């Protein structure tokens, strides 16, 4: 037994020594190489550029193809460049590139580090969910059941078609006693709705609504909105003008709200980083940012890259926020629990 123990100990020690020897050889190779400061200048330049884009994204103009908004929509993904540049810097034995990488790493963690931790709690007085169900959804009944299974007290649906509305109404009737559909958006609730009306977001047809939900702990103003889609075109850039105008109109309506508790549910076709949504996001908090686990990306459902489906609140305290499993839509549903 003593010999076996000694052999195992010796083996571990030898492996440790070999690893230490490799590290020493690597360090010696760098220390004796005067070119470590001259090599990798292009890699260092790219690292600095990525860091500056993340740091100064608000200064990127929107005048040409809404480049600023496009950058802000996918801003967290700029962090993908960091490990790639790190591998190149090590392969090139470039101390200059390694030092330059400090900038994008520091900026990314400063901006998004808080989102990669789990801030969710338990409980909550009110659970809400929202889902862009997709006008071409092949299984509206299944989608409705999936969203209702979240346990939400209030469910908002966007991109409703006239032909699909009766299907959603039948599928949700057993869980939600109260509901209202305005144009292509609707809300289903376990609690009474009053003061329900469409909200004009300057489109010429109804894609937003407002209602008062009479919860056991008081009234909450609930807004449901589906802002116009954005497109990326080679000849026009990031076309978002109509979306931006609708966001301003929605922000004005929320600013005029008399109730102190406000919940906005919907597909805003933009992220919290997008300056074009400032009229809305400057007044409300993101439940995902305040009480979520991770980024909560919701689109596209097959490989989520951005959170454009939002739950934003004012006058209530977010407790938890999460994405729901994929349905027949090209968006993921999102849900949140709040304290009133």
């Amino acid at each position: 037994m003593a010999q076996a123990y000694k052999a195992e100990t010796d083996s571990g020690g030898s492996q440790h020594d070999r690893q230490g020897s490799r590290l020493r050889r690597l360090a010696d190779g760098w220390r004796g190489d005067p070119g470590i400061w001259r090599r990798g200048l292009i890699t260092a330049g790219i690292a600095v550029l990525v860091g500056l884009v993340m740091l100064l994204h608000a200064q990127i103009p929107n005048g040409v193809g809404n480049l600023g908004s496009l950058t802000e929509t996918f801003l967290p993904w700029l962090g993908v460049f960091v490990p790639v540049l790190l591998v190149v810097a090590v392969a090139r034995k470039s101390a200059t590139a390694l030092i330059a990488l400090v900038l994008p790493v520091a900026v990314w963690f400063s901006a998004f580090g808080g989102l990669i931790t789990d801030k969710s709690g338990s409980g909550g007085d009110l659970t809400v969910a929202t889902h862009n169900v997709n006008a071409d959804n092949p299984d509206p009944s299944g989608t409705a059941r999936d969203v209702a299974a979240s346990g939400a007290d209030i469910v908002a649906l966007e991109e409703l078609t006239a032909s699909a509305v009766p299907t959603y109404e039948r599928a949700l009737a057993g869980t939600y006693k109260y509901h209202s559909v305005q144009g292509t958006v609707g809300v289903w609730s376990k609690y009474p709705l009053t003061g329900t009306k469409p909200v004009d977001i300057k489109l010429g047809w109804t894609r937003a609504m407002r209602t008062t939900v009479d919860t056991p702990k008081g009234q909450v103003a609930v807004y449901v909105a589906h802002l116009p889609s954005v497109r990326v075109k080679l000849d026009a850039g990031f076309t978002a003008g109509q979306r931006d105008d609708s966001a301003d109109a929605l922000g004005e309506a929320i600013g005029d709200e008399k109730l102190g508790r406000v919940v906005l549910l919907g597909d805003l076709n933009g992220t919290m980083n997008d300056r074009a949504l400032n009229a809305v996001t400057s007044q409300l908090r993101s439940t995902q940012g305040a009480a979520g686990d991770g980024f909560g990306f919701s689109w596209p459902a097959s490989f989520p890259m951005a959170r454009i489906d939002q739950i934003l609140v004012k006058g209530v305290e977010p407790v938890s926020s999460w994405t729901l499993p994929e349905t027949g839509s090209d968006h993921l549903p999102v849900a949140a629990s709040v304290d009133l």
Side-chain angles (χ1 to χ4, degrees), residues 216-228:
K217 292 199 172 183
Q219 294 185 327
V220 179
V222 174
Y223 286 78
V224 182
H226 181 195
L227 298 187

Side-chain angles (χ1 to χ4, degrees), residues 34 76 80 87 104 146 160 168 199 227 288-289 310 327 335:
V80 172
V87 170
D146 289 344
L160 295 169
Y168 286 108
V199 174
L227 298 187
Q288 187 67 26
Q310 306 288 357
T327 69

Side-chain angles (χ1 to χ4, degrees), residues 129-132 147 298 309 322-327 331-335:
T130 181
H131 190 23
N132 179 326
V147 176
S298 63
D309 301 275
W322 64 97
T323 56
L324 298 171
E326 188 174 357
T327 69
H331 293 243
L332 293 178
V334 298

